Amino acid sequence: MRYFIHFSYDGTAYHGWQMQPNALTVQQVLQGAVSTLLRQDTPLTAAGRTDAGVHARQMFAHFETEKLEDREQLVYRLNALLPEDIGVREIFPVPDEAHARFSATGRSYEYWVSYQKDPFLRDHALWVKQELDVRAMNKAAELLLEHRDFKCFSRSQSDVKTFICDVRRAEWIQEEKKLVFHITADRFLRNMVRAVVGTLLQVGMGKIGKEDVNAIIKSKDRGEAGASVAAKGLYLTRVDYPESLMIYRDDQAGRSHS
């Protein structure tokens, strides 16, 4: 049977999600724990790859095993075995064709910017020492909803087949001394959100304007966009799937998800 595992993690100590030689990753730790408890090699396929230092408040992966008779007990045992910076929320059955990555219909990220030096956010937000023009940043962010080709924000020498993304939300929201960028799309390119934020921060600092951002997007040139901001402020916050897939969860799992 195929199952989805719903989990979250603080990415500070990890070199991203994907398994790598000579580097500690979230996949290595979580997959190792699942394999240990199921007593068989159990590969996990996640909804996407997060880079080193990036956090995930909501992530899904799929795996296959024999029918699980007590999924709640497995979740309990996984959380007891895993380190404190990785937490499993639920495990639920899905159709055989369900795929954690390719079945996803949308993904949402947040990027946190702190206006003050906060020791408790040192690994979780970018500290910016000057006030930013949030109104100008939001005007520029609106351009993301008008374009579809975001090659200018993609990691150089990326091997993707298309740079087309459907951005559905791009908005900065002020929360006291913290500024949070919210962005939702059907898919994202490698390094895209951090490059977008780096470019919009230049707008907020008055270095470039909305028209410059429009020209950058049209250029399709990564060298024209702003530098990528630090990974520590980036959070994967939501992964969306078709309701027909998610109804396979029982009522208790549904309450946990909400």
Side-chain angles (χ1 to χ4, degrees):
M1 291 185 63
R2 179 162 290 194
Y3 290 89
F4 266 26
I5 181 170
H6 175 195
F7 59 101
S8 58
Y9 55 86
D10 181 321
T12 304
Y14 301 98
H15 288 261
W17 159 259
Q18 190 168 350
M19 198 90 74
Q20 300 178 37
N22 306 315
L24 183 67
T25 66
V26 179
Q27 183 182 18
Q28 175 187 338
V29 175
L30 181 58
Q31 186 168 295
V34 173
S35 298
T36 295
L37 294 181
L38 294 182
R39 298 182 181 180
Q40 62 182 18
D41 184 29
T42 309
L44 300 181
T45 300
R49 297 180 295 184
T50 54
D51 290 336
V54 176
H55 317 291
R57 293 217 297 270
Q58 182 180 81
M59 176 67 95
F60 292 91
H62 74 252
F63 66 93
E64 293 183 349
T65 189
E66 298 299 318
K67 183 177 180 180
L68 298 174
E69 298 297 339
D70 192 339
R71 289 178 278 126
E72 288 187 16
Q73 179 65 13
L74 178 57
V75 169
Y76 176 84
R77 295 175 66 199
L78 277 171
N79 282 325
L81 183 60
L82 288 165
E84 292 184 346
D85 51 11
I86 302 176
V88 175
R89 296 183 61 179
E90 57 180 316
I91 294 172
F92 56 95
V94 292
D96 291 342
E97 67 274 13
H99 194 287
R101 179 183 175 190
F102 297 125
S103 297
T105 57
R107 296 163 175 85
S108 297
Y109 283 88
E110 291 180 5
Y111 194 89
W112 292 10
V113 173
S114 177
Y115 278 143
Q116 61 184 10
K117 186 177 182 181
D118 186 339
F120 298 101
L121 290 177
R122 66 185 183 278
D123 293 323
H124 299 93
L126 177 69
W127 176 30
V128 174
K129 303 174 182 66
Q130 68 182 80
E131 291 292 322
L132 301 168
D133 186 341
V134 180
R135 186 171 181 273
M137 292 162 68
N138 271 326
K139 288 291 185 182
E142 291 174 358
L143 292 169
L144 299 173
L145 279 66
E146 300 174 9
H147 291 270
R148 292 181 58 81
D149 189 323
F150 295 103
K151 185 176 181 179
C152 69
F153 297 128
S154 176
R155 177 170 292 175
S156 300
Q157 300 178 338
S158 178
D159 59 356
V160 298
K161 296 179 181 179
T162 176
F163 297 96
I164 301 300
C165 303
D166 177 20
V167 177
R168 303 160 185 170
R169 182 189 183 191
E171 179 183 18
W172 291 90
I173 295 180
Q174 184 78 52
E175 299 178 6
E176 295 182 351
K177 285 294 184 178
K178 186 173 70 177
L179 185 61
V180 180
F181 180 58
H182 298 262
I183 185 167
T184 299
D186 62 335
R187 63 188 290 266
F188 288 92
L189 307 170
R190 291 289 303 277
N191 202 56
M192 177 175 165
V193 180
R194 292 164 59 196
V196 167
V197 172
T199 303
L200 294 178
L201 286 178
Q202 288 192 328
V203 175
M205 295 174 183
K207 295 180 179 180
I208 61 174
K210 178 180 178 179
E211 64 282 357
D212 298 307
V213 175
N214 199 43
I216 288 169
I217 298 174
K218 288 182 177 180
S219 76
K220 303 181 182 181
D221 184 352
R222 179 66 187 92
E224 294 295 316
S228 296
V229 288
K232 64 182 181 180
L234 184 60
Y235 301 77
L236 175 63
T237 58
R238 184 176 177 89
V239 184
D240 293 314
Y241 293 97
E243 187 62 30
S244 58
L245 185 156
M246 303 306 274
I247 61 174
Y248 276 70
R249 288 184 294 182
D250 57 28
D251 291 340
Q252 182 174 355
R255 288 194 296 271
S256 173
H257 176 65
S258 63

